[in-house]
Amino acid sequence: MEASMPFSKPGSQISKQREHLTVNKVAPLNLTKSPFSHNGCSAFDATRNKDEDASLTVMRFFYKVCTVRLCCFELKLSKKVPGNNTGQRLCNNTRERGKHKAANVYSRRAEERVLEEEDRQMLETSRSLKVLPGQAYPLGVSELETGINFAIFSQHATAVTLCLSLPERGKQDRLDGGMMELTLDPHVNKTGDIWHICVEDLPRSNVLYGYRIDGPRSWHQGHRFDSSIVLIDPYAKLIEGRRFFGDASDKMSNFFGTYDLNSLPFDWGDDYKLPSIPEKDLVIYEMNVRAFTADESSGLDLNIRGSYLGVIEKIPHLLELGINAVELFPVFEFDEFEFQRRPNPRDHMLNTWGYSTINFFAPMSRYASAGGGPLNAAREFKEMVKALHGAGIEVILDVVYNHTNEADDKNPYTTSFRGIDNKVYYMVNLNNNGQLLNFSGCGNTLNCNHPVVMELILDSLRHWVVEYHVDGFRFDLTSVLCRGTDGSPLNAPPLIRAIVRDAILSRCKIIAEPWDCGGLYLVGRFPNWDRWAEWNGKYRDDVRRFIKGDTGMKGSFASRVAGSADLFRVNKRKPYHSINFVIAHDGFTLHDLVSYNFKHNDANGEGGNDGTNDNFSWNCGYEGETADVNIKALRSRQMKNFHLALMISQGTPMMLMGDEYAHTRYGNNNSYGHDTAINHFQWRQLNAMKSNLFRFFSEMIKFRRAHHVFGRENFIGKNDVTWHEDNWDNNESKFLAFTLHDNYGGDIYLAFNAHDYFVKVAIPSPPPNRQWFRVVDTNLKSPDDFVPKGVPGIGKTYNVAPYSAILFEAKL
């Protein structure tokens, strides 16, 4: 997510009134002693009554409205009543009515029979659960010899209630919030700041759970407790909610944690191994799991379109293209309907990019095939990773730890962290009435360097490596992770350092997006400990400006294609620590970069105020789609020029899904909210471009991977490159030529002409016993634009066409 294009994540939690019907599980009563008091209900001493019948009636009344603590816990069966946000527990109302009835109990024998009948019916629907104190670690759900353990951190909570829904309940009733409740006793079920409980005889899977948490209501101190909301456990490994992506009939659904302790470990296979591709050899393909196959043109069965399994079906395309790593848009659980939870200018859209995390451990459940739910989502995600690894393709996750889905204080969407302990999990400004700080552009900022939050993030990352075998992570708005708890920048951020030094994460690629929406721009200055790679935003901007013909950009362009040594040659850093890209999910697609001078974001509903204005784009003479063959030919050349520059640059190249066939979003440079062809991969268009643009892209990627001069381990020195240039100080010069030298004579000559006229260039002599072969001339039509074996007969000069580029290879 670009720092220059903030967009908030609106939506508010739709709480509903919950009807709590008290379950009557009591020990035999001794009428000679004062019974217990509970939840404000006064104890009733039966010895004060001389009328035995009246005594029995009153005791049955308290048997009805009060619950017994079993090992200091309260068991309730709750049912939500839609449409009311008061959170008032109706059992309290029942108690008040019961007091009135008690005053007239001697004359109301008929009511005794009614109460007894209700008691019988409620006992039939209850389930006896034996509970134990439990243990503080591990956080989340774990299995002990004595039962299922639940543990959650909350430093400032004063009351915690575990809510459970068991498998025999109807699916819709469970998702609507009908849950049993166990109230934790802080004297028994709390160790330090961790609340815990162990429940015997719970099923080992398919249980839904969450927490009601209460605490100080002092907003100005940063607290946002609301015990009417059932909250998701931050350590839940699976999330249950809506089953089908974009199902409008279920868009206000709730989300709950769940677990699976029954399934056997996933079978990765006896011959399975990690690709373990050296960073210098990576070619990254940024892609959206759902958008990759959601369109009907994918030709896939409706049940697997837009799913993890859909990606598996299209691995042949990735292999044909030639990439060896996919960087997946966020696949942590998120709510695609978050924009539609309240009226707002964007309530017509769905969150299709996923940069709005609900939980950091659970895979997006609606990417499972056929609405299979969270367990299938976890299994199918592993199947996808296994298949990609089998094809030699690594899996890098785009992860969002800088903010969550819970939005801002104006329109909060409380699902987890905010209600558990807002003051710990988020940065708050205690000097400004406890308001949330916003360095993410999305309303809240995760308090990443707080010890508890830092450990949560590390545990999450380890989980994805150990459980799902992912190969690396790209961190969205990573500069947020470089801020202290008060938001101030840190020179040595504990979290950034801990990720580098973690034993489990040591094999992973770790990539920073080194900026945030608070202006902390750290490209080339990111605290890297010689391991962090960075999205090179300066590469993107400088390459765009040179290729489109801006003046004064030749020197910067040369620096970028040479590996950005001016930014990254520090300590033990390498050229591959620069993630080079011209196009990413934010901003224009490659087609739109050469087709639009201005963003066209009207479909987003924000009056054109969203998305960056600094696109460094050029429409090649006409704004938008055109039938003009000359403009279309120029645009095609420019797209090939950009791709050629990307693939010959020192560093790690990354391209965006769809650019291989010139995908268009019709000028929308912030398309996060469109679950349509604007974002969906168009397989028919790919087929139409197979012999032209796709072929060029594929051949260029494979050529890069076959020639080590483009992916050096170390920064190039004077013996590695010859710049055929004596005009560096001329700002009007838009032509650059250079030779990359190979120790074995396989030199590569390159020239880029961003002038609007031909440039006749003198070609240097090839290495001894070699001759130049023309591999690329972007001015030529396919298939002559790229000839893998090369075309011999290159003379001493060559006419480089306007807005074109060439590549020659020295061969025997």
Side-chain angles (χ1 to χ4, degrees):
M1 194 187 324
E2 289 285 4
S4 56
M5 51 180 85
F7 52 91
S8 64
K9 305 296 186 186
S12 58
Q13 173 73 1
I14 306 299
S15 302
K16 300 177 182 179
Q17 186 178 19
R18 295 161 175 84
E19 180 182 4
H20 292 259
L21 304 177
T22 306
V23 176
N24 303 293
K25 302 296 291 183
V26 300
L29 295 177
N30 184 344
L31 301 185
T32 63
K33 298 180 180 180
S34 291
F36 55 87
S37 64
H38 176 71
N39 277 7
C41 295
S42 300
F44 186 87
D45 191 341
T47 60
R48 297 176 184 173
N49 295 292
K50 298 180 180 181
D51 188 306
E52 183 178 355
D53 289 341
S55 175
L56 288 174
T57 300
V58 174
M59 290 309 302
R60 285 192 178 104
F61 164 70
F62 280 97
Y63 183 74
K64 163 70 179 173
V65 298
C66 296
T67 59
V68 177
R69 294 195 177 189
L70 178 59
C71 296
C72 299
F73 300 100
E74 176 186 27
L75 177 60
K76 296 181 181 178
L77 177 65
S78 65
K79 182 177 176 63
K80 292 168 63 177
V81 179
N84 192 311
N85 194 35
T86 64
Q88 175 63 43
R89 303 188 178 193
L90 297 190
C91 63
N92 293 335
N93 294 339
T94 302
R95 291 177 183 135
E96 292 302 318
R97 290 194 301 269
K99 293 177 182 178
H100 176 72
K101 292 178 182 179
N104 303 283
V105 69
Y106 302 105
S107 61
R108 302 180 65 174
R109 305 291 301 180
E111 288 199 15
E112 179 183 354
R113 292 191 296 271
V114 173
L115 293 172
E116 289 175 342
E117 176 63 16
E118 290 177 355
D119 286 345
R120 183 187 64 79
Q121 291 175 353
M122 295 177 64
L123 281 169
E124 290 176 353
T125 64
S126 70
R127 178 179 181 130
S128 176
L129 295 177
K130 183 178 179 181
V131 292
L132 300 168
Q135 62 185 42
Y137 292 99
L139 293 171
V141 174
S142 58
E143 189 171 25
L144 307 179
E145 290 184 2
T146 52
I148 307 300
N149 192 75
F150 299 82
I152 187 170
F153 166 89
S154 182
Q155 178 182 348
H156 297 103
T158 57
V160 174
T161 300
L162 174 66
C163 305
L164 298 171
S165 183
L166 306 185
E168 62 267 21
R169 304 285 302 280
K171 177 179 181 295
Q172 193 57 50
D173 183 48
R174 298 175 75 203
L175 292 178
D176 281 346
M179 310 187 86
M180 293 183 293
E181 299 190 347
L182 300 173
T183 300
L184 279 63
D185 185 334
H187 300 293
V188 177
N189 306 100
K190 187 181 179 186
T191 302
D193 295 325
I194 298 175
W195 302 70
H196 46 81
I197 182 173
C198 181
V199 185
E200 287 190 4
D201 301 323
L202 271 185
R204 301 179 72 246
S205 65
N206 203 23
V207 172
L208 305 187
Y209 77 101
Y211 293 90
R212 296 188 192 278
I213 297 182
D214 208 351
R217 301 302 175 98
S218 46
W219 183 289
H220 66 283
Q221 292 182 349
H223 300 303
R224 305 291 188 270
F225 289 104
D226 184 348
S227 60
S228 72
I229 301 172
V230 178
L231 303 166
I232 300 169
D233 177 8
Y235 275 80
K237 302 305 187 294
L238 300 169
I239 300 296
E240 177 68 88
R242 185 183 315 112
R243 286 294 181 98
F244 292 93
F245 192 95
D247 181 5
S249 67
D250 198 22
K251 70 179 181 180
M252 304 307 287
S253 60
N254 295 302
F255 295 87
F256 301 98
T258 187
Y259 58 85
D260 176 30
L261 302 172
N262 274 332
S263 297
L264 294 174
F266 181 77
D267 182 10
W268 291 96
D270 294 335
D271 58 349
Y272 168 81
K273 62 180 181 180
L274 299 169
S276 299
I277 300 170
E279 288 180 88
K280 69 181 182 63
D281 296 330
L282 285 179
V283 179
I284 301 173
Y285 185 76
E286 190 187 23
M287 61 174 286
N288 184 321
V289 167
R290 172 168 171 78
F292 194 46
T293 64
D295 195 82
E296 56 87 19
S297 65
S298 67
L300 301 182
D301 184 274
L302 182 62
N303 285 325
I304 66 170
R305 291 180 199 165
S307 71
Y308 302 121
L309 297 186
V311 173
I312 297 176
E313 294 295 317
K314 296 301 184 180
I315 288 177
H317 168 71
L318 301 177
L319 293 175
E320 186 180 4
L321 180 59
I323 58 91
N324 57 12
V326 291
E327 183 178 297
L328 304 181
F329 281 34
V331 292
F332 295 1
E333 186 72 30
F334 65 93
D335 179 10
E336 69 272 23
F337 277 111
E338 64 175 339
F339 305 145
Q340 300 191 26
R341 290 182 172 266
R342 62 177 181 85
N344 68 92
R346 297 181 294 174
D347 59 14
H348 59 293
M349 296 197 296
L350 294 176
N351 181 348
T352 61
W353 285 2
Y355 291 88
S356 194
T357 309
I358 284 179
N359 173 276
F360 297 122
F361 291 85
M364 177 60 172
S365 59
R366 285 169 299 293
Y367 289 171
S369 63
L375 270 66
N376 284 325
R379 175 179 53 80
E380 292 175 7
F381 186 95
K382 293 172 186 176
E383 291 178 4
M384 177 189 70
V385 172
K386 179 180 177 180
L388 287 166
H389 283 176
I393 298 173
E394 291 198 338
V395 179
I396 299 170
L397 302 187
D398 192 340
V399 292
V400 187
Y401 293 110
N402 61 82
H403 74 282
T404 75
N405 66 294
E406 295 189 298
D408 55 19
D409 283 329
K410 182 179 180 181
N411 297 294
Y413 175 26
T414 302
T415 56
S416 183
F417 309 95
R418 177 184 174 92
I420 293 171
D421 205 328
N422 184 81
K423 190 174 182 179
V424 167
Y425 283 109
Y426 295 113
M427 295 183 191
V428 297
N429 187 351
L430 296 179
N431 295 321
N432 185 25
N433 199 36
Q435 292 295 308
L436 293 171
L437 294 171
N438 183 15
F439 298 108
S440 66
C442 300
N444 62 67
T445 307
L446 206 65
N447 197 8
C448 298
N449 285 297
H450 184 286
V452 170
V453 184
M454 182 173 75
E455 195 59 34
L456 169 74
I457 294 172
L458 291 170
D459 287 341
S460 166
L461 294 170
R462 296 178 191 120
H463 177 71
W464 286 97
V465 173
V466 173
E467 184 71 16
Y468 294 102
H469 291 201
V470 302
D471 302 284
F473 305 92
R474 176 266 186 188
F475 294 77
D476 181 67
L477 296 183
T478 325
S479 290
V480 165
L481 280 61
C482 299
R483 294 182 181 272
T485 57
D486 62 352
S488 60
L490 302 173
N491 292 326
L495 175 59
I496 299 299
R497 178 178 54 202
I499 291 172
V500 167
R501 296 180 176 178
D502 189 85
I504 292 175
L505 304 179
S506 62
R507 73 166 180 83
C508 294
K509 280 76 177 178
I510 48 175
I511 303 169
E513 183 184 36
W515 51 79
D516 64 19
C517 293
L520 190 56
Y521 190 79
L522 296 174
V523 173
R525 299 184 295 112
F526 190 81
N528 54 81
W529 280 274
D530 298 326
R531 269 206 59 203
W532 281 85
E534 299 176 32
W535 267 27
N536 191 344
K538 292 185 178 180
Y539 178 97
R540 172 202 57 208
D541 296 344
D542 290 347
V543 171
R544 285 186 180 192
R545 294 186 64 191
F546 176 82
I547 295 293
K548 81 183 185 72
D550 282 0
T551 60
M553 294 305 301
K554 182 168 63 175
S556 296
F557 178 70
S559 295
R560 299 301 152 243
V561 298
S564 297
D566 58 326
L567 299 174
F568 295 100
R569 187 185 288 182
V570 179
N571 298 329
K572 297 179 181 180
R573 303 198 83 183
K574 303 293 185 179
Y576 53 73
H577 287 130
S578 171
I579 305 298
N580 299 330
F581 66 102
V582 177
I583 302 297
H585 63 274
D586 278 328
F588 283 145
T589 64
L590 185 60
H591 170 277
D592 292 358
L593 184 69
V594 300
S595 304
Y596 294 90
N597 285 351
F598 311 101
K599 65 185 181 184
H600 296 262
N601 294 359
D602 291 343
N604 297 353
E606 299 185 58
N609 293 317
D610 66 308
T612 183
N613 296 315
D614 301 323
N615 297 293
F616 301 121
S617 62
W618 177 43
N619 64 19
C620 296
Y622 185 84
E623 186 75 0
E625 300 304 308
T626 179
D628 188 304
V629 294
N630 293 322
I631 292 177
K632 292 174 72 174
L634 175 56
R635 289 175 176 176
S636 179
R637 288 205 307 277
Q638 288 290 74
M639 286 189 283
K640 293 174 184 179
N641 293 337
F642 279 121
H643 188 64
L644 174 63
L646 179 65
M647 290 302 151
I648 61 89
S649 295
Q650 303 299 317
T652 303
M654 183 190 76
M655 62 171 290
L656 177 66
M657 174 189 88
D659 281 347
E660 66 266 39
Y661 68 82
H663 181 84
T664 181
R665 295 175 183 156
Y666 305 100
N668 192 323
N669 74 353
N670 194 23
S671 65
Y672 63 93
H674 299 283
D675 189 39
T676 66
I678 288 179
N679 283 313
H680 293 172
F681 196 100
Q682 299 298 297
W683 293 92
R684 291 191 189 93
Q685 291 183 30
L686 170 68
N687 292 332
M689 297 294 285
K690 272 295 182 76
S691 62
N692 187 1
L693 191 66
F694 174 80
R695 177 184 173 276
F696 184 92
F697 269 57
S698 174
E699 294 290 357
M700 192 62 241
I701 292 171
K702 294 169 184 175
F703 190 84
R704 174 191 171 86
R705 292 180 60 186
H707 293 76
H708 74 276
V709 295
F710 303 126
R712 297 180 185 271
E713 178 73 24
N714 298 303
F715 288 97
I716 59 176
K718 62 180 181 180
N719 296 325
D720 301 319
V721 62
T722 298
W723 301 100
H724 307 294
E725 183 60 61
D726 57 7
N727 205 14
W728 289 109
D729 296 329
N730 182 0
N731 283 340
E732 299 302 317
S733 177
K734 305 174 185 178
F735 184 89
L736 180 68
F738 56 97
T739 299
L740 295 173
H741 299 297
D742 176 72
N743 293 334
Y744 303 99
D747 288 6
I748 302 293
Y749 172 83
L750 291 138
F752 292 84
N753 181 18
H755 288 290
D756 58 1
Y757 52 81
F758 278 88
V759 173
K760 188 175 183 179
V761 61
I763 304 300
S765 298
N769 302 319
R770 304 267 177 156
Q771 63 173 310
W772 292 117
F773 284 71
R774 189 198 76 230
V775 177
V776 174
D777 186 337
T778 61
N779 185 54
L780 301 177
K781 293 183 179 179
S782 184
D784 295 327
D785 56 351
F786 196 110
V787 181
K789 293 183 178 180
V791 177
I794 303 300
K796 293 185 177 181
T797 62
Y798 194 94
N799 268 345
V800 185
Y803 300 111
S804 70
I806 58 174
L807 182 154
F808 298 163
E809 181 180 9
K811 301 174 68 173
L812 293 172

